[in-house]
Amino acid sequence: MPIPKDRRIPKRKVVGFCPERAYTFDTEKETQGVWFDIDVTTGAKVKVARFGSSRYYQVYNQVLQRIAPNPQSLTKEQQEKAVRKVVDETVAECVLLDWSNFVKLDGTELPYSKEEAIKLLSLDSFFDVVLSFAQQSEQYHKYSVEEAVKN
């Protein structure tokens, strides 16, 4: 015979940290990206996927095979240029997915394209900002920090 509800012992809430909640990533956010403000004055934003996904490494290897199929035959300088080109193309393909409110030097709209993304990623400071967004793992978590630490 079941115990009546008024006689049941209530479950205690345990205060603690839940690693499964803290370190589970939202697959859609990881691959489809998250919007970040890049310039609040103009409202410019970038849509960035998480750096280091399995897709990133898969594309990196494909681009590497296309650009430098035999990297050992290159000089050190050629290798450095090839690696930067491979990384820029891979980031444009897998990490920097979109932007809004970007303009060209003449003030006209700069619509997103992979080709334009590669050009902008060749600017070291822009590349660094995009990569810093892509490495903010908390933005890609499935659960919020509050959900990971239950009280």
Side-chain angles (χ1 to χ4, degrees), residues 95-147:
V95 177
L96 179 58
L97 305 177
D98 199 358
W99 59 59
S100 67
N101 282 0
F102 274 41
V103 295
K104 298 176 186 176
L105 285 172
D106 65 5
T108 60
E109 181 185 359
L110 178 61
Y112 174 85
S113 72
K114 184 179 167 188
E115 293 74 25
E116 290 297 332
I118 291 169
K119 288 179 193 175
L120 290 181
L121 288 165
S122 70
L123 303 170
D124 289 338
S125 296
F126 182 74
F127 179 89
D128 291 345
V129 168
V130 169
L131 201 58
S132 73
F133 290 147
Q135 293 175 326
Q136 291 180 18
S137 63
E138 67 277 359
Q139 298 297 323
Y140 303 96
H141 285 166
K142 187 172 183 176
Y143 303 98
S144 68
V145 173
E146 294 79 24
E147 290 174 310

